[in-house]
Amino acid sequence: MLLQRTLTALLLAPFAILVILLPPGWTWLFALVTVAAFLAGLWEWTRLSGLRNRPVRALLLAGALVVFALLWWLRDMIQWPALVAGAAWWALACVWLNHFAFAAAPTTENRNLKLAAGALVIFPAFVGLLSIHASEPYGHWWTLLTLLIVWAADIGAYFSGRFLGKRKLAPNISPGKTWAGVGGALVAGALVAVAGGVLLGVESWRLLALALLAVLTVAASVVGDLIESLMKRHAQVKDSGRMFPGHGGLLDRMDSVFAAVPVFALGKLLLGL
């Protein structure tokens, strides 16, 4: 399984990096690829929410496509409220994690609640990516650094959890995660952020602030991972989909990114980076 996951990641990562580092004139292509990926994630989220009617799910995706277009058009006007809403949602999600049974019953009300939560997962992350990617003068590299922080955290969590993990983080939600894994994720994310910050010319107190922002970003990514695991537990499924061999669905790969991006984008704006 680890070999399969590694091979899939090695195939996907170069494509993601290529799209991120496209020249400025190709920003529209970055947005289109991002929208396609986010729509795929939203499709899986509707299933985990308990919505089984495919025509209705397709109609929701059509509506989401309109929202993405509006967010692209109004991106400069709405980036602050969208990012604040996204960061606030992930803080509120911590409360949900402490009440595992909340919204677990397959009722219409709970389904609609989870669909609304999906909007707060997907749309602020889209605005966050646009905000980071459009920042001058190194928006492409900042976007790559954002993903590298999440990827490094994932690797750090895997190895520290495997060799040092004893105390479980959330056994009812994700039995494999440990507090040692969280510690490894935080350290790995902060180190990558500092290294990237130095290369991007970040100096003095802002470099320390960037490391602290990376810690908050990784913490949000952990919450995002746990929320998706909670959704799968409620839906009684192992994976969100079957898009990637060894990785499950797109949500299984992007849950951490959806949570990390609005937090990092908001912090980047606040720090003037």
PDB file of all heavy atoms in Angstrom, residues 18-33 72 133 140:
ATOM      1  N   LEU A  18       3.712  21.796 -12.040  1.00  0.00           N
ATOM      2  CA  LEU A  18       3.725  22.415 -13.366  1.00  0.00           C
ATOM      3  C   LEU A  18       2.610  23.435 -13.509  1.00  0.00           C
ATOM      4  O   LEU A  18       2.824  24.551 -14.005  1.00  0.00           O
ATOM      5  CB  LEU A  18       3.592  21.331 -14.444  1.00  0.00           C
ATOM      6  CG  LEU A  18       3.498  21.828 -15.893  1.00  0.00           C
ATOM      7  CD1 LEU A  18       4.792  22.552 -16.291  1.00  0.00           C
ATOM      8  CD2 LEU A  18       3.228  20.662 -16.842  1.00  0.00           C
ATOM      9  N   VAL A  19       1.412  23.084 -13.058  1.00  0.00           N
ATOM     10  CA  VAL A  19       0.271  24.002 -13.159  1.00  0.00           C
ATOM     11  C   VAL A  19       0.498  25.242 -12.304  1.00  0.00           C
ATOM     12  O   VAL A  19       0.197  26.368 -12.711  1.00  0.00           O
ATOM     13  CB  VAL A  19      -1.029  23.290 -12.748  1.00  0.00           C
ATOM     14  CG1 VAL A  19      -2.183  24.282 -12.651  1.00  0.00           C
ATOM     15  CG2 VAL A  19      -1.375  22.197 -13.754  1.00  0.00           C
ATOM     16  N   ILE A  20       1.056  25.059 -11.120  1.00  0.00           N
ATOM     17  CA  ILE A  20       1.303  26.188 -10.218  1.00  0.00           C
ATOM     18  C   ILE A  20       2.325  27.154 -10.802  1.00  0.00           C
ATOM     19  O   ILE A  20       2.185  28.375 -10.695  1.00  0.00           O
ATOM     20  CB  ILE A  20       1.790  25.675  -8.848  1.00  0.00           C
ATOM     21  CG1 ILE A  20       0.649  24.965  -8.107  1.00  0.00           C
ATOM     22  CG2 ILE A  20       2.335  26.815  -7.992  1.00  0.00           C
ATOM     23  CD1 ILE A  20       1.100  24.221  -6.874  1.00  0.00           C
ATOM     24  N   LEU A  21       3.357  26.617 -11.453  1.00  0.00           N
ATOM     25  CA  LEU A  21       4.459  27.444 -11.922  1.00  0.00           C
ATOM     26  C   LEU A  21       4.295  27.927 -13.356  1.00  0.00           C
ATOM     27  O   LEU A  21       5.255  28.422 -13.963  1.00  0.00           O
ATOM     28  CB  LEU A  21       5.776  26.672 -11.780  1.00  0.00           C
ATOM     29  CG  LEU A  21       6.169  26.282 -10.358  1.00  0.00           C
ATOM     30  CD1 LEU A  21       7.508  25.557 -10.355  1.00  0.00           C
ATOM     31  CD2 LEU A  21       6.228  27.504  -9.453  1.00  0.00           C
ATOM     32  N   LEU A  22       3.102  27.816 -13.909  1.00  0.00           N
ATOM     33  CA  LEU A  22       2.847  28.353 -15.245  1.00  0.00           C
ATOM     34  C   LEU A  22       3.124  29.856 -15.260  1.00  0.00           C
ATOM     35  O   LEU A  22       2.942  30.543 -14.252  1.00  0.00           O
ATOM     36  CB  LEU A  22       1.395  28.093 -15.653  1.00  0.00           C
ATOM     37  CG  LEU A  22       1.046  26.659 -16.060  1.00  0.00           C
ATOM     38  CD1 LEU A  22      -0.469  26.518 -16.205  1.00  0.00           C
ATOM     39  CD2 LEU A  22       1.737  26.277 -17.360  1.00  0.00           C
ATOM     40  N   PRO A  23       3.546  30.401 -16.401  1.00  0.00           N
ATOM     41  CA  PRO A  23       3.801  31.850 -16.499  1.00  0.00           C
ATOM     42  C   PRO A  23       2.556  32.656 -16.160  1.00  0.00           C
ATOM     43  O   PRO A  23       1.422  32.156 -16.250  1.00  0.00           O
ATOM     44  CB  PRO A  23       4.201  32.038 -17.971  1.00  0.00           C
ATOM     45  CG  PRO A  23       4.677  30.687 -18.413  1.00  0.00           C
ATOM     46  CD  PRO A  23       3.860  29.700 -17.655  1.00  0.00           C
ATOM     47  N   PRO A  24       2.713  33.941 -15.757  1.00  0.00           N
ATOM     48  CA  PRO A  24       1.586  34.773 -15.349  1.00  0.00           C
ATOM     49  C   PRO A  24       0.441  34.831 -16.347  1.00  0.00           C
ATOM     50  O   PRO A  24      -0.722  34.901 -15.963  1.00  0.00           O
ATOM     51  CB  PRO A  24       2.233  36.162 -15.173  1.00  0.00           C
ATOM     52  CG  PRO A  24       3.656  35.861 -14.823  1.00  0.00           C
ATOM     53  CD  PRO A  24       4.012  34.622 -15.596  1.00  0.00           C
ATOM     54  N   GLY A  25       0.751  34.794 -17.635  1.00  0.00           N
ATOM     55  CA  GLY A  25      -0.302  34.857 -18.640  1.00  0.00           C
ATOM     56  C   GLY A  25      -1.208  33.646 -18.661  1.00  0.00           C
ATOM     57  O   GLY A  25      -2.259  33.653 -19.321  1.00  0.00           O
ATOM     58  N   TRP A  26      -0.807  32.609 -17.963  1.00  0.00           N
ATOM     59  CA  TRP A  26      -1.583  31.365 -17.926  1.00  0.00           C
ATOM     60  C   TRP A  26      -2.325  31.196 -16.613  1.00  0.00           C
ATOM     61  O   TRP A  26      -2.715  30.087 -16.260  1.00  0.00           O
ATOM     62  CB  TRP A  26      -0.661  30.171 -18.151  1.00  0.00           C
ATOM     63  CG  TRP A  26      -0.115  30.102 -19.537  1.00  0.00           C
ATOM     64  CD1 TRP A  26       0.944  30.805 -20.031  1.00  0.00           C
ATOM     65  CD2 TRP A  26      -0.611  29.312 -20.622  1.00  0.00           C
ATOM     66  NE1 TRP A  26       1.150  30.502 -21.354  1.00  0.00           N
ATOM     67  CE2 TRP A  26       0.219  29.583 -21.743  1.00  0.00           C
ATOM     68  CE3 TRP A  26      -1.662  28.403 -20.742  1.00  0.00           C
ATOM     69  CZ2 TRP A  26       0.016  28.977 -22.965  1.00  0.00           C
ATOM     70  CZ3 TRP A  26      -1.856  27.791 -21.974  1.00  0.00           C
ATOM     71  CH2 TRP A  26      -1.032  28.081 -23.078  1.00  0.00           C
ATOM     72  N   THR A  27      -2.541  32.263 -15.890  1.00  0.00           N
ATOM     73  CA  THR A  27      -3.238  32.185 -14.613  1.00  0.00           C
ATOM     74  C   THR A  27      -4.632  31.595 -14.765  1.00  0.00           C
ATOM     75  O   THR A  27      -5.117  30.877 -13.886  1.00  0.00           O
ATOM     76  CB  THR A  27      -3.341  33.588 -13.979  1.00  0.00           C
ATOM     77  OG1 THR A  27      -2.023  34.111 -13.808  1.00  0.00           O
ATOM     78  CG2 THR A  27      -4.037  33.529 -12.621  1.00  0.00           C
ATOM     79  N   TRP A  28      -5.259  31.884 -15.896  1.00  0.00           N
ATOM     80  CA  TRP A  28      -6.607  31.344 -16.147  1.00  0.00           C
ATOM     81  C   TRP A  28      -6.595  29.823 -16.155  1.00  0.00           C
ATOM     82  O   TRP A  28      -7.554  29.186 -15.707  1.00  0.00           O
ATOM     83  CB  TRP A  28      -7.145  31.882 -17.468  1.00  0.00           C
ATOM     84  CG  TRP A  28      -6.307  31.493 -18.662  1.00  0.00           C
ATOM     85  CD1 TRP A  28      -5.244  32.163 -19.189  1.00  0.00           C
ATOM     86  CD2 TRP A  28      -6.459  30.302 -19.465  1.00  0.00           C
ATOM     87  NE1 TRP A  28      -4.708  31.488 -20.259  1.00  0.00           N
ATOM     88  CE2 TRP A  28      -5.436  30.347 -20.456  1.00  0.00           C
ATOM     89  CE3 TRP A  28      -7.337  29.236 -19.446  1.00  0.00           C
ATOM     90  CZ2 TRP A  28      -5.289  29.344 -21.415  1.00  0.00           C
ATOM     91  CZ3 TRP A  28      -7.191  28.234 -20.402  1.00  0.00           C
ATOM     92  CH2 TRP A  28      -6.181  28.291 -21.371  1.00  0.00           C
ATOM     93  N   LEU A  29      -5.496  29.222 -16.674  1.00  0.00           N
ATOM     94  CA  LEU A  29      -5.423  27.759 -16.707  1.00  0.00           C
ATOM     95  C   LEU A  29      -5.270  27.211 -15.292  1.00  0.00           C
ATOM     96  O   LEU A  29      -5.872  26.170 -14.956  1.00  0.00           O
ATOM     97  CB  LEU A  29      -4.244  27.313 -17.573  1.00  0.00           C
ATOM     98  CG  LEU A  29      -4.068  25.801 -17.736  1.00  0.00           C
ATOM     99  CD1 LEU A  29      -5.332  25.156 -18.307  1.00  0.00           C
ATOM    100  CD2 LEU A  29      -2.860  25.493 -18.624  1.00  0.00           C
ATOM    101  N   PHE A  30      -4.489  27.892 -14.465  1.00  0.00           N
ATOM    102  CA  PHE A  30      -4.373  27.500 -13.057  1.00  0.00           C
ATOM    103  C   PHE A  30      -5.747  27.512 -12.395  1.00  0.00           C
ATOM    104  O   PHE A  30      -6.107  26.584 -11.662  1.00  0.00           O
ATOM    105  CB  PHE A  30      -3.425  28.452 -12.328  1.00  0.00           C
ATOM    106  CG  PHE A  30      -3.425  28.297 -10.833  1.00  0.00           C
ATOM    107  CD1 PHE A  30      -2.727  27.270 -10.228  1.00  0.00           C
ATOM    108  CD2 PHE A  30      -4.131  29.181 -10.028  1.00  0.00           C
ATOM    109  CE1 PHE A  30      -2.733  27.111  -8.847  1.00  0.00           C
ATOM    110  CE2 PHE A  30      -4.137  29.043  -8.647  1.00  0.00           C
ATOM    111  CZ  PHE A  30      -3.433  28.008  -8.059  1.00  0.00           C
ATOM    112  N   ALA A  31      -6.529  28.579 -12.661  1.00  0.00           N
ATOM    113  CA  ALA A  31      -7.870  28.679 -12.079  1.00  0.00           C
ATOM    114  C   ALA A  31      -8.772  27.563 -12.576  1.00  0.00           C
ATOM    115  O   ALA A  31      -9.535  26.973 -11.796  1.00  0.00           O
ATOM    116  CB  ALA A  31      -8.480  30.045 -12.399  1.00  0.00           C
ATOM    117  N   LEU A  32      -8.704  27.241 -13.874  1.00  0.00           N
ATOM    118  CA  LEU A  32      -9.556  26.184 -14.433  1.00  0.00           C
ATOM    119  C   LEU A  32      -9.224  24.814 -13.834  1.00  0.00           C
ATOM    120  O   LEU A  32     -10.128  24.048 -13.487  1.00  0.00           O
ATOM    121  CB  LEU A  32      -9.410  26.135 -15.952  1.00  0.00           C
ATOM    122  CG  LEU A  32     -10.129  27.215 -16.755  1.00  0.00           C
ATOM    123  CD1 LEU A  32      -9.867  27.024 -18.251  1.00  0.00           C
ATOM    124  CD2 LEU A  32     -11.637  27.178 -16.484  1.00  0.00           C
ATOM    125  N   VAL A  33      -7.945  24.516 -13.725  1.00  0.00           N
ATOM    126  CA  VAL A  33      -7.543  23.233 -13.134  1.00  0.00           C
ATOM    127  C   VAL A  33      -7.973  23.166 -11.673  1.00  0.00           C
ATOM    128  O   VAL A  33      -8.456  22.128 -11.193  1.00  0.00           O
ATOM    129  CB  VAL A  33      -6.015  23.036 -13.269  1.00  0.00           C
ATOM    130  CG1 VAL A  33      -5.569  21.795 -12.497  1.00  0.00           C
ATOM    131  CG2 VAL A  33      -5.624  22.917 -14.734  1.00  0.00           C
ATOM    132  N   TRP A  72     -14.145  34.182  -8.856  1.00  0.00           N
ATOM    133  CA  TRP A  72     -13.039  34.600  -9.725  1.00  0.00           C
ATOM    134  C   TRP A  72     -13.202  36.061 -10.133  1.00  0.00           C
ATOM    135  O   TRP A  72     -12.259  36.838 -10.097  1.00  0.00           O
ATOM    136  CB  TRP A  72     -12.988  33.698 -10.945  1.00  0.00           C
ATOM    137  CG  TRP A  72     -12.118  34.230 -12.055  1.00  0.00           C
ATOM    138  CD1 TRP A  72     -12.517  34.904 -13.174  1.00  0.00           C
ATOM    139  CD2 TRP A  72     -10.686  34.126 -12.148  1.00  0.00           C
ATOM    140  NE1 TRP A  72     -11.441  35.231 -13.955  1.00  0.00           N
ATOM    141  CE2 TRP A  72     -10.304  34.771 -13.362  1.00  0.00           C
ATOM    142  CE3 TRP A  72      -9.706  33.566 -11.335  1.00  0.00           C
ATOM    143  CZ2 TRP A  72      -8.969  34.853 -13.760  1.00  0.00           C
ATOM    144  CZ3 TRP A  72      -8.385  33.651 -11.745  1.00  0.00           C
ATOM    145  CH2 TRP A  72      -8.025  34.287 -12.939  1.00  0.00           C
ATOM    146  N   HIS A 133      -1.734  32.866  -5.204  1.00  0.00           N
ATOM    147  CA  HIS A 133      -1.162  32.749  -6.548  1.00  0.00           C
ATOM    148  C   HIS A 133      -1.013  34.111  -7.217  1.00  0.00           C
ATOM    149  O   HIS A 133      -0.095  34.316  -8.023  1.00  0.00           O
ATOM    150  CB  HIS A 133      -2.053  31.827  -7.389  1.00  0.00           C
ATOM    151  CG  HIS A 133      -1.398  31.334  -8.641  1.00  0.00           C
ATOM    152  ND1 HIS A 133      -1.640  31.889  -9.877  1.00  0.00           N
ATOM    153  CD2 HIS A 133      -0.501  30.332  -8.852  1.00  0.00           C
ATOM    154  CE1 HIS A 133      -0.935  31.260 -10.792  1.00  0.00           C
ATOM    155  NE2 HIS A 133      -0.236  30.308 -10.206  1.00  0.00           N
ATOM    156  N   HIS A 140       3.535  32.490  -7.539  1.00  0.00           N
ATOM    157  CA  HIS A 140       3.648  31.084  -7.929  1.00  0.00           C
ATOM    158  C   HIS A 140       4.426  30.287  -6.887  1.00  0.00           C
ATOM    159  O   HIS A 140       4.038  29.180  -6.491  1.00  0.00           O
ATOM    160  CB  HIS A 140       4.352  30.973  -9.289  1.00  0.00           C
ATOM    161  CG  HIS A 140       3.651  31.661 -10.414  1.00  0.00           C
ATOM    162  ND1 HIS A 140       3.626  33.032 -10.540  1.00  0.00           N
ATOM    163  CD2 HIS A 140       2.941  31.164 -11.444  1.00  0.00           C
ATOM    164  CE1 HIS A 140       2.929  33.358 -11.612  1.00  0.00           C
ATOM    165  NE2 HIS A 140       2.503  32.244 -12.189  1.00  0.00           N
TER     166      HIS A 140
END
